[in-house]
Amino acid sequence: MNRRPFLKLVSALTIAGALAANAASAETIRIGAVAPKTGPLAGGATVTQWPSIYLWVEQVNAAGGLTVDGEQMMIELIEYDDQTNPGETIKAVQRLATQDDAHFIIAPYGTGLNLAAAPLFDRYGYPQIAVSAITDQQPELAAQFPNMFFTLGTTTALAADVVKVLSDMRDAGQMGDKVAMVNVADAFGIELATAAKPLFEEAGFDIVYETSYPLGTQDLSPVIKGAAAAEPDAFVAWSYPPDTFGLTEQAMIENLDVKAFYTAVATPFPGYGARFGSAAEGVLGAGGVNPDSPAFMEYAAAHEAVTGAKPDYWASATTYASLEILGQSIEAVGLDRAAVTAHLREATFDTILGPISFDENNSNADFWTVGQWQGGVFRGVASRGRDGTVPVILKDGWE
């Protein structure tokens, strides 16, 4: 556990002045954060989740804190590493609620960990803006857990747009209709594979190879060798960060010959492009951005300046927007969690993604669904309402 108020990196004199100005208020806003720093999903959370949290807290505190009932209150961040273990997520949320007396708790990272924590968020009355939970069960979950909100789209939307991208390529004569489809065997991968299979079949694709593998699998060579033996035109993996990297490495080793290669989470990470270089060209993945939009460029510059790392090309900005939403709600109605939850349902929020409001706990914001590495940048090629999509290119080898 690590408690850390974040102050903007300015001169010592300015910091001292800020501290003096806030000395009259001994109380801070205690905000908890639970996400992997170790375990299989650490590679995702340390790119998408933790840096955006640090950026937001640093910027809020640099501005003097959040205004609560006319008083400026600094944020105290209380962090826990859940080790990519649902049991540890539950224990950490329990501790934040009952021992650390956190005013608010930032939702965990990943679909499975959010689902594991949802009963505790509900029990203790914490709003749960589950940024990285992608599921078709949103209506049922919102009914069961009224404090749970969603921002990144649904399973079917993500899967359907992958099918649409590949259908357009096939219909343009760029590839055939044989697909190899694999998935990580956790909530995220299983639900996506379940949604995607009938969509591929309805679109006239032939799934020539299909398998799953446990989260944290180290040797993915059998998966790629099995896919290669089926001679697919496209390879689709509903994958999490470690397997996204592992599957790509094995595809390069086996020289997997496909016209479309798709891996899901972590494909939009800057580290993916850095690791695979020119071999990443043409790789499709989950999400996307318009990297040329002024709003994203401004956010990316601040992200790198404060955290020393670039944001990803998908959910980093949405994570930051969810924190903007939380902060605006706290400033509007104070520290009462029930009042904040009600405000989340009713208000429209000004974020780096534009105006966001919630309809039956689901964000009305447009979202990216498919991106592709093109010219060293991961650009959005399909979305639900976003501007700036670019045409898809063929995967042309691994060199």
Side-chain angles (χ1 to χ4, degrees):
M1 189 267 282
N2 181 22
R3 295 170 180 261
R4 52 197 283 188
F6 284 76
L7 296 172
K8 190 171 178 63
L9 302 177
V10 290
S11 69
L13 180 61
T14 303
I15 292 175
L19 291 173
N22 285 280
S25 174
E27 186 178 7
T28 58
I29 303 173
R30 295 179 299 280
I31 295 184
V34 182
K37 293 185 178 182
T38 57
L41 294 186
T46 55
V47 171
T48 299
Q49 181 113 333
W50 287 114
S52 283
I53 292 171
Y54 298 153
L55 172 62
W56 178 70
V57 173
E58 190 276 335
Q59 289 181 328
V60 168
N61 283 350
L66 294 175
T67 303
V68 181
D69 298 327
E71 180 183 1
Q72 292 292 109
M73 298 182 69
M74 302 286 275
I75 293 173
E76 177 187 8
L77 183 64
I78 309 172
E79 306 175 38
Y80 286 99
D81 171 17
D82 64 19
Q83 304 167 40
T84 318
N85 182 329
E88 293 299 320
T89 307
I90 291 168
K91 286 196 294 186
V93 172
Q94 180 88 26
R95 179 166 183 170
L96 283 165
T98 62
Q99 297 182 41
D100 298 318
D101 196 23
H103 293 103
F104 298 94
I105 303 174
I106 297 166
Y109 177 79
T111 301
L113 299 179
N114 267 288
L115 295 179
L120 283 180
F121 273 80
D122 182 66
R123 180 187 305 171
Y124 294 109
Y126 286 97
Q128 182 180 4
I129 308 176
V131 174
S132 54
I134 301 174
T135 175
D136 283 342
Q137 302 174 52
Q138 291 178 7
E140 293 82 2
L141 287 168
Q144 184 179 2
F145 306 117
N147 294 358
M148 196 173 191
F149 298 83
F150 302 90
T151 62
L152 210 57
T154 64
T155 301
T156 294
L158 202 67
D161 283 11
V162 172
V163 174
K164 178 67 166 56
V165 166
L166 298 188
S167 295
D168 289 346
M169 295 173 68
R170 179 196 59 193
D171 295 347
Q174 296 175 319
M175 57 173 275
D177 60 6
K178 295 188 294 183
V179 174
M181 185 177 74
V182 307
N183 67 276
V184 59
D186 89 326
F188 170 83
I190 292 169
E191 187 171 335
L192 272 162
T194 302
K197 185 173 182 178
L199 293 173
F200 274 121
E201 292 172 343
E202 290 166 12
F205 285 98
D206 180 16
I207 300 178
V208 295
Y209 178 76
E210 185 178 6
T211 194
S212 64
Y213 50 87
L215 179 64
T217 297
Q218 297 297 310
D219 182 10
L220 290 164
S221 58
V223 175
I224 293 297
K225 287 178 179 178
E231 299 183 346
D233 300 295
F235 175 87
V236 174
W238 308 113
S239 54
Y240 262 150
D243 28 307
T244 289
F245 280 82
L247 289 167
T248 304
E249 289 174 349
Q250 290 302 319
M252 293 172 64
I253 291 170
E254 296 296 327
N255 194 28
L256 183 65
D257 184 15
V258 290
K259 298 300 183 184
F261 182 87
Y262 173 99
T263 45
V265 183
T267 314
F269 289 3
Y272 185 96
R275 176 122 168 222
F276 298 116
S278 61
E281 183 74 2
V283 172
L284 295 159
V289 295
N290 176 1
D292 303 320
S293 75
F296 180 80
M297 292 173 68
E298 182 179 356
Y299 161 71
H303 188 288
E304 188 167 9
V306 170
T307 71
K310 297 178 184 295
D312 74 20
Y313 293 104
W314 181 27
S316 286
T318 309
T319 300
Y320 184 86
S322 75
L323 299 169
E324 291 181 303
I325 289 168
L326 176 62
Q328 289 170 35
S329 286
I330 292 170
E331 291 198 313
V333 299
L335 299 180
D336 183 272
R337 292 193 285 272
V340 167
T341 299
H343 188 258
L344 289 173
R345 295 195 187 97
E346 299 164 357
T348 298
F349 302 93
D350 182 21
T351 78
I352 59 168
L353 299 178
I356 292 180
S357 60
F358 292 96
D359 180 11
E360 297 182 352
N361 290 32
N362 190 20
S363 165
N364 69 345
D366 301 328
F367 55 93
W368 294 96
T369 51
V370 187
Q372 186 176 47
W373 282 97
Q374 298 184 9
V377 178
F378 192 79
R379 298 180 176 274
V381 298
S383 75
R384 299 298 174 98
R386 285 280 172 200
D387 294 327
T389 58
V390 298
V392 178
I393 63 174
L394 292 177
K395 184 77 182 93
D396 186 19
W398 295 99
E399 295 181 357

